[in-house]
């Protein structure tokens, strides 16, 4: 990678209506953090942005259920999500809010620019109005009896029982999901539509130019572009209270009073707004965030990478690019979209609504972040869906973290401390076995770098584990505890190399397991986080006489009793 590249990284922004489960975490925020940490370690300038997605009807309903005003609910849930992100060591440069004034202004700015360029159309449509709730109801907030199968809890957009697509007006005895009221009528309302079809050629040419995208990303984008009727114009406004008020820039939009922008329109604009929030939080001028986002302000040399679950791909390959392209302004478009399949849970699916699976706060209550980070990233659902099982989790933690990495660190520090004292011994020179290890690591570390640069998450994890294994096997076969009896100088050379390996492992492992890496560096008495160039040189970073501390257990094993207890606790419904 070139010296000091500039890397802009965004993770799909989590919705505000509750705490996310581990499937959400591994589909966006966690791999984005892995990449951000790696890119910083390589000396690049990184801007890593995330936020809470706060608008739309589900936020209003979640607030009503909690008995809170929606503004208060969102503020408290934002802080909860930020705290959990800190617990998982997600290294955002800023964790913003889509309800920020920055996002209000920027969303209104984009709408004004799109309108000026002829990409917005006013459309009259019939919508169900609840007289008792005094509001228009989105389709999914109307329930009734399905005319097709007679199911009495069919939603206004689809019957879950027979899967028939419906309009609210098709339902028999429709009622408001919010209040249960049947006092409904159909009223005319006007909405703004983004004319995505008019931008189709621009979008298609842009997607075709992205020959390096993952197959998953490209296939979803092209399916939405071509299947059925292809790319459709989309409504960008809603009759709601909570959201970004509809304006053209800072001017009122005649006929759109009391309406807000649809959440899908304002949410991705928050990536840009969040970077502006970062500048505000640091007392920096607008040029500080514009150099990441505006090609006329220096963003043309930025590499922009997005991370998301596959369900978010259509918005990020079609709708958000349509917003940016249609503005006809020099905004930075994404260079690479890393998308993920789903993580399933123990023979079924994670379900936020049913409380099935492990949620982020619960995970941290039973084990530290590194245990989860390692398992989730090393089993990331890249080429297909993957599945969390407690047996696999236990086995992976015990074998990879405790038996391989933890065991190596513990054995070599304890042995050195016992035989030579708490400092790196000076005598002895490297033998053929040590040189073979260095040659092997040279190949492996370069492969690891390539996988990390290409965001091949599982391959990178497998390579990192192989790097730990190589050190373990070297220590086992070199056996300094045996050599010491006849040749303490030769044993000292093995020990010196192995203690330097601990520092090297800390640096290489930091993107995956940051807390353990920090512990290893602290115990080795060093702040030297420099990324390894030549491996032989890197393994001389800690000189003879350098003091260290024997660490506490780096990773403890998960017992069968714990595994069984957790499997029971997280099988059912979260209160």
């Amino acid at each position: 990678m070139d010296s000091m590249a500039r890397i802009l990284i965004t993770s799909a922004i989590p919705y505000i209506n509750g705490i996310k489960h581990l499937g959400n975490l591994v589909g966006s925020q966690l791999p984005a953090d892995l990449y951000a940490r790696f890119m910083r370690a390589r000396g690049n300038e990184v801007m890593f942005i995330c936020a809470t997605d706060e608008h739309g009807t589900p936020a209003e309903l979640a607030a009503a259920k909690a008995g809170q005003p929606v503004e208060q609910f969102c503020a408290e849930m934002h802080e909860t999500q930020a705290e959990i992100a800190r617990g998982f060591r997600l290294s955002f440069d800023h964790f913003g809010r889509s309800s920020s004034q920055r996002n209000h202004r920027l969303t209104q700015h984009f709408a004004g620019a799109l309108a000026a360029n002829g990409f917005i159309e006013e459309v009259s449509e019939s919508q169900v109005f609840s007289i008792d709730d005094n509001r228009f109801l989105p389709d999914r907030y109307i329930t009734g009896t399905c005319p097709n199968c007679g199911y009495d809890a069919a939603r206004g957009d689809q019957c879950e029982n027979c899967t028939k697509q419906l309009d609210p007006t098709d339902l028999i005895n429709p009622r408001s999901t919010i209040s249960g009221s049947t006092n409904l009528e159909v009223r005319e309302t006007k909405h703004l539509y983004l004319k995505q079809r008019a931008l189709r050629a621009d979008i298609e040419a842009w997607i075709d130019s992205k020959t390096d995208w993952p197959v998953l990303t490209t296939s979803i984008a092209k399916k939405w572009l071509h299947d059925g009727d292809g790319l459709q114009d989309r409504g960008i406004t809603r009759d709601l209270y909570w959201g970004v008020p509809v304006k053209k820039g800072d001017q009122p939009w005649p006929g759109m009073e009391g309406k807000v922008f649809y959440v899908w329109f304002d949410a991705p604009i928050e990536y840009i707004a969040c970077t502006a929030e970062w500048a505000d939080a640091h007392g920096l001028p607008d040029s500080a965030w514009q150099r990441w986002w505006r090609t006329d302000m220096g963003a043309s040399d930025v590499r922009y990478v997005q991370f998301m679950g596959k369900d978010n791909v259509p918005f990020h390959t079609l709708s958000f690019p349509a917003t940016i392209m249609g503005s006809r302004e020099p905004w930075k478009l994404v260079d690479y979209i890393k998308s993920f399949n789903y993580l399933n849970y123990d023979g079924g699916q994670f379900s936020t609504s049913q409380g099935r699976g492990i949620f982020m706060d619960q995970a941290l209550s039973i084990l530290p972040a590194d245990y989860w980070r390692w398992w989730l990233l090393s089993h990331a659902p890249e080429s297909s869906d993957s599945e969390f099982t407690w047996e696999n989790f236990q086995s992976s933690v015990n074998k990879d973290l405790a038996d391989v990495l933890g065991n190596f660190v513990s054995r070599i520090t304890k042995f050195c401390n016992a035989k030579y004292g708490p400092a790196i011994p000076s005598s002895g020179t490297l033998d053929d076995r040590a040189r073979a290890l260095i040659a092997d690591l040279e190949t492996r570390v370069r492969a690891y770098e390539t996988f990390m640069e290409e965001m091949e998450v599982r391959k990178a994890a497998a390579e990192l584990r192989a790097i730990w294994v190589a050190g373990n096997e070297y220590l086992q076969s070199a056996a300094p505890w045996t050599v010491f009896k006849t040749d303490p100088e030769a044993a000292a050379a093995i020990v010196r190399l192995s203690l330097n390996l601990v520092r090297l492992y800390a640096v290489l492992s930091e993107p995956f397991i940051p807390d353990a890496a920090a512990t290893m560096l602290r115990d080795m008495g060093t702040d030297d986080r420099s990324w390894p160039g030549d491996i032989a040189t890197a393994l001389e970073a800690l000189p003879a006489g350098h003091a260290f501390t024997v660490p506490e257990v780096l990773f403890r094993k998960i017992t069968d009793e714990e595994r069984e207890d957790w499997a029971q606790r997280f099988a059912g419904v979260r209160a």
Side-chain angles (χ1 to χ4, degrees):
M1 181 135 265
D2 303 337
S3 59
M4 269 302 276
R6 293 173 58 219
I7 318 284
L8 172 64
I9 301 168
T10 59
S11 158
I13 65 179
Y15 199 63
I16 196 72
N17 65 339
I19 290 165
K20 304 294 123 183
H21 55 64
L22 295 183
N24 296 125
L25 177 64
V26 75
S28 54
Q29 293 175 319
L30 189 54
D33 181 68
L34 178 80
Y35 187 61
R37 286 176 176 277
F38 171 73
M39 284 300 171
R40 290 190 197 108
R42 300 303 305 279
N44 299 307
E45 188 185 359
V46 168
M47 177 60 63
F48 177 25
I49 287 301
C50 194
T52 37
D53 178 4
E54 300 190 7
H55 294 137
T57 312
E60 286 190 20
L61 292 184
K65 197 173 174 184
Q68 291 180 312
V70 66
E71 294 88 343
Q72 183 190 344
F73 173 83
C74 287
E76 288 180 11
M77 187 52 75
H78 171 80
E79 193 37 57
T80 298
Q81 291 202 14
E83 185 62 34
I84 292 170
R86 287 190 285 273
F88 273 100
R89 308 297 184 250
L90 302 176
S91 60
F92 305 129
D93 287 288
H94 194 73
F95 186 61
R97 303 182 60 188
S98 70
S99 62
S100 69
Q101 281 309 301
R102 279 287 193 178
N103 199 39
H104 277 232
R105 290 199 296 275
L106 210 49
T107 299
Q108 291 161 344
H109 167 84
F110 272 106
L114 287 161
N117 294 328
F119 292 120
I120 289 195
E121 184 176 20
E122 288 190 19
V123 176
S124 280
E125 49 186 51
S126 301
Q127 223 178 319
V128 174
F129 187 86
S130 168
I131 293 162
D132 294 339
D133 294 313
N134 193 30
R135 64 186 286 172
F136 283 98
L137 297 177
D139 296 352
R140 58 186 313 175
Y141 292 105
I142 305 155
T143 48
T145 302
C146 174
N148 188 49
C149 73
Y151 178 61
D152 67 355
R155 288 195 322 220
D157 54 355
Q158 187 176 25
C159 174
E160 280 182 7
N161 189 50
C162 69
T163 73
K164 186 173 173 63
Q165 299 281 315
L166 298 169
D167 284 318
T169 47
D170 299 333
L171 294 172
I172 301 160
N173 301 326
R175 60 191 178 274
S176 161
T177 309
I178 299 165
S179 63
S181 170
T182 55
N183 195 6
L184 311 178
E185 66 182 38
V186 176
R187 291 187 183 177
E188 283 288 299
T189 181
K190 267 190 178 173
H191 281 295
L192 302 179
Y193 273 66
L194 175 58
K195 294 163 75 172
Q196 295 189 142
R197 278 183 299 199
L199 289 155
R200 182 190 161 130
D202 300 37
I203 294 169
E204 184 158 29
W206 174 68
I207 291 170
D208 285 343
S209 75
K210 301 295 174 189
T211 52
D212 64 334
W213 280 6
V215 173
L216 181 64
T217 304
T218 310
S219 60
I220 293 171
K222 293 199 166 173
K223 184 176 191 296
W224 277 69
L225 208 52
H226 299 298
D227 276 15
D229 298 326
L231 187 62
Q232 295 299 303
D233 296 346
R234 266 197 94 135
I236 62 166
T237 55
R238 278 287 183 265
D239 291 291
L240 290 176
Y241 152 72
W242 177 238
V244 178
V246 177
K247 289 182 171 181
K248 283 183 187 172
D250 54 5
Q251 298 302 308
W253 202 310
M256 291 292 139
E257 297 79 11
K259 295 181 195 287
V260 298
F261 286 106
Y262 196 179
V263 60
W264 76 260
F265 182 71
D266 84 76
I269 294 170
E270 169 59 15
Y271 295 141
I272 307 173
C274 183
T275 317
E277 291 168 53
W278 160 82
D280 294 342
H282 290 83
L284 297 168
D286 281 350
S287 56
W289 68 264
Q290 288 169 343
R291 66 189 283 267
W292 290 100
W293 282 104
R294 290 193 60 110
T295 54
D296 58 341
M297 296 288 288
S300 45
D301 65 347
V302 167
R303 176 163 167 80
Y304 176 20
V305 181
Q306 294 174 344
F307 289 80
M308 70 198 64
K310 60 185 173 187
D311 51 334
N312 271 315
V313 170
F315 291 115
H316 290 79
T317 53
L318 306 169
S319 300
F320 185 41
T323 299
I324 289 183
M325 290 174 188
S327 76
R328 300 300 191 225
E329 293 172 346
W331 297 100
K332 174 75 187 168
L333 281 159
V334 66
D335 293 300
Y336 191 86
I337 299 179
K338 175 70 175 180
S339 55
F340 290 85
N341 289 286
Y342 295 139
L343 175 69
N344 293 318
Y345 178 74
D346 236 354
Q349 288 185 322
F350 278 94
S351 169
T352 303
S353 57
Q354 292 167 23
R356 186 171 191 281
I358 318 160
F359 290 75
M360 287 169 71
D361 57 339
Q362 297 169 329
L364 291 176
S365 76
I366 60 176
L367 281 172
D370 281 350
Y371 293 70
W372 301 107
R373 287 178 65 106
W374 174 252
W375 189 89
L376 289 166
L377 290 165
S378 60
H379 295 77
E382 288 177 296
S383 53
S384 60
D385 291 354
S386 58
E387 182 169 23
F388 179 93
T389 68
W390 286 102
E391 289 78 7
N392 186 303
F393 178 65
Q394 178 193 28
S395 151
S396 188
V397 164
N398 291 357
K399 286 180 180 161
D400 301 351
L401 298 180
D403 286 347
V404 180
L405 181 61
N407 183 45
F408 175 81
V409 174
S410 175
R411 278 174 91 185
I412 193 57
T413 50
K414 282 178 178 166
F415 175 74
C416 180
N417 189 51
K419 301 298 184 192
Y420 301 95
I424 293 179
S426 56
S427 53
T429 52
L430 298 180
D431 62 4
D432 287 348
R433 183 184 276 123
R435 283 190 284 274
L437 170 71
I438 289 168
D440 182 36
L441 289 178
E442 186 70 52
T443 306
R444 290 197 175 281
V445 170
R446 303 291 88 93
Y448 174 63
E449 288 170 357
T450 301
F451 291 139
M452 289 289 269
E453 278 164 11
E454 293 175 353
M455 285 158 280
E456 294 274 6
V457 178
R458 287 177 83 141
K459 287 179 181 172
E463 198 61 63
L464 180 60
R465 186 185 187 281
I467 288 167
W468 299 339
V469 167
N472 238 1
E473 289 176 347
Y474 164 75
L475 190 59
Q476 192 60 27
S477 63
W481 38 87
T482 306
V483 175
F484 181 80
K485 294 170 188 167
T486 55
D487 191 346
E489 285 206 0
I494 299 166
V495 169
R496 192 167 66 247
L497 181 70
S498 299
L499 289 169
N500 266 286
L501 264 180
V502 175
R503 186 203 75 91
L504 179 68
Y505 286 172
V507 172
L508 295 175
S509 307
E510 194 272 343
F512 281 91
I513 44 173
D515 287 349
T519 301
M520 288 155 76
L521 288 171
R522 186 194 68 214
D523 290 334
M524 296 317 294
T526 182
D527 286 327
D528 181 359
R529 288 174 158 74
S530 56
W531 193 263
D534 170 65
I535 297 299
T537 308
L539 290 174
E540 291 170 354
L542 305 180
H546 179 92
F548 67 89
T549 311
V550 176
E552 301 284 309
V553 172
L554 201 57
F555 290 101
R556 69 170 188 82
K557 289 195 171 185
I558 296 171
T559 66
D560 291 350
E561 293 73 30
E562 283 176 313
R563 185 199 75 216
E564 287 160 13
D565 172 47
W566 295 337
Q568 274 191 311
R569 270 170 62 190
F570 301 109
V573 173
R574 179 185 173 120

